[in-house]
Amino acid sequence: MSQTSDVVIVGGGVIGCAIAYALAGKGARVTVLERDRIGAHASSAAAGMLGAQVEMAFPGPMVDLCLESRALYPIWQRQLKQETGLDIELQNEGMLRIADTPAEAEALREREGWQRRYGLEAVWLEKESLLQSEPCLSSEWSGALRIPGDGQVSAPRLVQALAQGVRFRGGTVVEGVEVRHVRTTGGRVTEVETTGGTFSFDTVVLSAGAWLSHLASRLEASIPVSPVKGESLALRPARPLFRQTLFGPQGLYLVPKSDGRVIVGATEKAGDVSPGVTAEGAAWLLQESIRMVPELKEAEWTAAWSSYRPRTPDGLPVLGPLSPWENAFVAGGHFRNGILLAPITGVGMAEWIAGEKVPNWGAFAPDRFQKMAISQGEGVEGNDH
């Protein structure tokens, strides 16, 4: 099989599908190539949180990007429902960032301050108000920061809706094809040879999640994205226990879903690419979730799973042109925020590739790590003199 497209996107997770969906909406002939199934890895394993504020410790370009993306979700929900019939289950019940210690409470109060100065809604709840808000919680907590604007979606439904949306808009999604070779001519990438045939294009986008570094190396590019294994599980309490997503110490979160399940996640194991869920990981998730919501000890265990989230050294995504190639882009390294950042990544990358607009994304430039290494090297050399 040999196909020619305007844009080929290598990687069929939520980011690759979001870019393809936005490009197809502009009339581009776009093809998504996925080694396994669409959304088979981190995208479908995600709890679907839209934590534009809850995880942000300080203001900056990342906060701006997250807020822009969160604001796009109602539009995308309507479009995807109209085009595919799939409901991505957008919920806006808000989130609670819970403090375990007085020091954590103080840090969250500071976070409340800058977020309010930023014009965002954030409300500190003392213990009594917290328990009034969610009576299921244990009484041991010091308080919580309530973020009414943060929400959630169904991550598996989102990625499937995006893939179907690509097809609805005239794009192509090819599953079960692995990249074997990448061909170049002069300063351009011209073809991707896969186990399912050869694909040629005007522009290529590398969006391979935790495997982005390996893929970029085929173009002699260094993109430092590494896998971080995350283990999660699902519980089904006999009755709904809480409405808001609960975000606790050490990155633990409890996400109540519309079908009655509670998603509990997630461990973080850097560089671990072993399959499955460990007893240690499951035990920690259960222990901490029951400590947060004691009634969960009676909940039914329904499932456990793991996947690998792509993280960069500075925790920021990698978005933009891949030097020195004239027609190659990368989009990855979203780590814990892939679902949240899918809309803005899709829209921004599509505008960039279509030549309509270059986003103000200097903080996320793919070559920032090389520039940093050169700068540090020059600094060391200077100290020797």
Side-chain angles (χ1 to χ4, degrees), residues 124-134:
W124 173 254
L125 301 179
E126 298 289 355
K127 180 182 291 189
E128 182 177 344
S129 298
L130 173 60
L131 294 177
Q132 288 176 351
S133 175
E134 295 291 0

Side-chain angles (χ1 to χ4, degrees), residues 187 189 202-206 219 320-323 325-330:
V189 188
D202 294 327
T203 302
V204 64
V205 181
L206 309 185
L219 291 173
L322 182 64
S323 298
W325 308 102
E326 297 173 9
N327 64 329
F329 288 76
V330 295

Side-chain angles (χ1 to χ4, degrees), residues 23 33 37 59 64 91 133 136 150 164 167 174 191 206-207 223 248 285 317 328 383:
L23 279 166
L33 304 179
R37 291 173 292 105
D64 297 337
Q91 296 183 37
S133 175
C136 68
D150 282 349
Q164 289 193 33
R167 297 185 180 102
V174 185
E191 290 181 336
L206 309 185
S207 184
I223 303 293
L285 292 170
N383 290 336

Side-chain angles (χ1 to χ4, degrees), residues 80-147:
L80 289 168
K81 184 71 179 294
Q82 290 171 357
E83 295 174 3
T84 72
L86 290 176
D87 182 4
I88 63 173
E89 299 179 0
L90 176 63
Q91 296 183 37
N92 294 300
E93 295 289 350
M95 293 190 186
L96 288 173
R97 181 67 184 253
I98 298 172
D100 194 11
T101 65
E104 288 180 2
E106 182 179 356
L108 289 176
R109 292 298 299 267
E110 292 177 359
R111 190 175 303 188
E112 176 199 27
W114 74 254
Q115 292 196 4
R116 289 169 72 95
R117 290 192 296 273
Y118 225 60
L120 303 172
E121 193 173 356
V123 182
W124 173 254
L125 301 179
E126 298 289 355
K127 180 182 291 189
E128 182 177 344
S129 298
L130 173 60
L131 294 177
Q132 288 176 351
S133 175
E134 295 291 0
C136 68
L137 285 166
S138 164
S139 61
E140 69 178 82
W141 307 107
S142 299
L145 183 62
R146 171 161 161 70
I147 308 292

Side-chain angles (χ1 to χ4, degrees), residues 21-374:
Y21 178 69
L23 279 166
K26 295 180 179 297
R29 294 176 302 154
V30 59
T31 299
V32 178
L33 304 179
E34 168 55 39
R35 183 184 63 183
D36 299 307
R37 291 173 292 105
I38 289 296
H41 299 287
S43 298
S44 292
M49 293 187 298
L50 306 180
Q53 295 174 238
V54 75
E55 293 198 66
M56 302 301 153
F58 48 83
M62 185 64 169
V63 173
D64 297 337
L65 193 71
C66 290
L67 291 172
E68 286 184 73
S69 200
R70 187 181 71 182
L72 290 173
Y73 257 103
I75 300 169
W76 275 42
Q77 180 193 35
R78 290 192 297 271
Q79 287 179 346
L80 289 168
K81 184 71 179 294
Q82 290 171 357
E83 295 174 3
T84 72
L86 290 176
D87 182 4
I88 63 173
E89 299 179 0
L90 176 63
Q91 296 183 37
N92 294 300
E93 295 289 350
M95 293 190 186
L96 288 173
R97 181 67 184 253
I98 298 172
D100 194 11
T101 65
E104 288 180 2
E106 182 179 356
L108 289 176
R109 292 298 299 267
E110 292 177 359
R111 190 175 303 188
E112 176 199 27
W114 74 254
Q115 292 196 4
R116 289 169 72 95
R117 290 192 296 273
Y118 225 60
L120 303 172
E121 193 173 356
V123 182
W124 173 254
L125 301 179
E126 298 289 355
K127 180 182 291 189
E128 182 177 344
S129 298
L130 173 60
L131 294 177
Q132 288 176 351
S133 175
E134 295 291 0
C136 68
L137 285 166
S138 164
S139 61
E140 69 178 82
W141 307 107
S142 299
L145 183 62
R146 171 161 161 70
I147 308 292
D150 282 349
Q152 58 155 303
V153 294
S154 167
R157 275 178 166 264
L158 172 64
V159 71
Q160 291 304 320
L162 287 170
Q164 289 193 33
V166 171
R167 297 185 180 102
F168 175 84
R169 292 178 168 188
T172 302
V173 177
V174 185
E175 298 176 289
V177 292
E178 185 171 0
V179 173
R180 290 287 179 83
H181 300 289
V182 180
R183 296 194 177 95
T184 62
T185 301
R188 297 181 61 83
V189 188
T190 56
E191 290 181 336
V192 172
E193 182 183 323
T194 76
T195 52
T198 300
F199 297 82
S200 57
F201 41 77
D202 294 327
T203 302
V204 64
V205 181
L206 309 185
S207 184
W211 296 272
L212 180 58
S213 289
H214 175 70
L215 185 61
S217 69
R218 294 174 179 267
L219 291 173
E220 299 180 353
S222 177
I223 303 293
V225 172
S226 59
V228 178
K229 181 178 179 179
E231 299 159 302
S232 302
L233 53 87
L235 303 174
R236 188 183 299 277
R239 64 180 181 88
L241 299 177
F242 48 93
R243 298 175 297 103
Q244 301 165 92
T245 294
L246 307 178
F247 204 109
Q250 302 178 66
L252 180 83
Y253 50 77
L254 279 63
V255 186
K257 292 297 181 178
S258 58
D259 62 2
R261 295 177 305 146
V262 174
I263 306 299
V264 182
T267 60
E268 289 187 10
K269 300 180 177 180
D272 185 348
V273 293
S274 63
V277 177
T278 63
E280 179 185 41
W284 181 78
L285 292 170
L286 286 172
Q287 174 185 312
E288 291 301 306
S289 61
I290 292 170
R291 183 165 80 97
M292 187 178 293
V293 180
E295 275 193 70
L296 283 176
K297 65 184 178 183
E298 304 294 339
E300 174 192 359
W301 171 293
T302 65
W305 61 92
S306 67
S307 192
Y308 316 104
R309 292 179 284 193
R311 182 171 66 184
T312 62
D314 59 11
L316 302 178
V318 182
L319 304 170
L322 182 64
S323 298
W325 308 102
E326 297 173 9
N327 64 329
F329 288 76
V330 295
H334 291 73
F335 192 37
R336 295 169 64 101
N337 295 294
I339 300 299
L340 167 62
L341 291 174
I344 193 63
T345 301
V347 169
M349 293 293 292
E351 290 176 342
W352 205 340
I353 292 165
E356 298 173 355
K357 178 183 177 183
V358 177
N360 184 22
W361 286 355
F364 315 116
D367 63 356
R368 68 185 186 271
F369 302 104
Q370 287 75 21
K371 290 180 179 178
M372 186 182 304
I374 293 171

